[in-house]
């Protein structure tokens, strides 16, 4: 899994659309993530419309580059507890899903980063309004995706001082 050690946060993209088959592979990867009680609480918005990307780029002080990405995936989670096994774990499930998509994006030669929306109530409300989302769905993050127009080596983040063995 070299993608674990090659993935970087990409915020600049080539002016090239992401092919539909690659988008589907990214979404398939997200849906393969482990979830608490196998509840699979996710749904995804795939945004390519420039006006909608512009509106999403105004969600957060760090989201301005969303407007320049060829596409933005918005992972969301259901909140209807009658359909969920472990409702308290939905955000963890979405974090798993987001990470598996980021790794697949790297495998496909694309670049992305994620912009935290949840648990900020103002940010979440903005995204819900822009995407006209139903009441029982909450946005987790914004994930702008495209062919990278920047590259750099990934940092080596391993720190043995943070590893503890219980004996």
């Amino acid at each position: 899994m070299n993608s674990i050690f090659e993935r970087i946060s990409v915020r600049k993209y080539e002016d090239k659309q992401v092919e539909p088959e690659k988008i589907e592979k990214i979404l398939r990867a997200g849906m393969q993530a482990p979830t608490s009680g196998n509840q699979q609480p996710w749904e995804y918005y795939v945004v390519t419309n420039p006006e909608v990307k512009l509106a999403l780029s105004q969600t957060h002080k760090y989201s301005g580059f969303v407007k320049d990405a060829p596409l933005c995936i918005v992972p969301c989670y259901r909140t209807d507890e009658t359909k969920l096994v472990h409702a308290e774990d939905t955000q963890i499930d979405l974090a798993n899903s987001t990470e598996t998509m980021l790794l697949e994006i790297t495998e496909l030669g694309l670049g992305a980063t994620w912009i935290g929306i949840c648990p900020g109530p103002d940010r979440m409300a903005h995204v819900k309004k822009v995407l006209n989302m139903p009441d029982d769905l909450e946005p987790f993050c914004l994930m702008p995706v495209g062919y990278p127009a920047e590259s750099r080596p990934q940092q080596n983040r391993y720190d043995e001082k943070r590893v503890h063995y219980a004996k």
Side-chain angles (χ1 to χ4, degrees), residues 10-81:
V10 174
R11 294 173 181 86
K12 295 179 183 170
Y13 308 95
E14 293 180 5
D15 185 19
K16 179 179 178 182
Q17 295 303 309
V18 177
E19 298 86 346
E21 58 273 11
K22 288 188 177 184
I23 296 170
E24 182 177 329
K25 286 181 179 182
I26 295 165
L27 297 170
R28 285 180 176 274
M31 292 182 193
Q32 284 301 119
T35 61
S36 181
N38 197 29
Q39 66 185 348
Q40 303 175 36
W42 43 60
E43 294 192 21
Y44 307 90
Y45 283 76
V46 178
V47 181
T48 56
N49 180 301
E51 293 172 6
V52 178
K53 289 187 300 179
L54 177 62
L56 290 174
S57 75
Q58 298 164 4
T59 302
H60 190 290
K61 66 180 178 179
Y62 299 114
S63 62
F65 65 95
V66 169
K67 68 183 180 304
D68 301 321
L71 84 112
C72 183
I73 297 173
V74 184
C76 305
Y77 59 94
R78 292 188 302 276
T79 59
D80 182 349
E81 293 189 21

Side-chain angles (χ1 to χ4, degrees), residues 102-115:
L102 287 168
L103 294 173
E104 180 65 10
I105 286 165
T106 300
E107 286 290 318
L108 294 171
L110 299 166
T113 191
W114 71 280
I115 302 163

Side-chain angles (χ1 to χ4, degrees), residues 43-45 56 74-79 117 123-142:
E43 294 192 21
Y44 307 90
Y45 283 76
L56 290 174
V74 184
C76 305
Y77 59 94
R78 292 188 302 276
T79 59
I117 299 304
R123 296 184 301 239
M124 293 172 76
H126 177 80
V127 172
K128 281 186 77 134
K129 182 178 179 183
V130 169
L131 296 177
N132 194 27
M133 294 172 57
D135 290 341
D136 66 345
L137 203 58
E138 295 292 339
F140 180 71
C141 69
L142 301 178

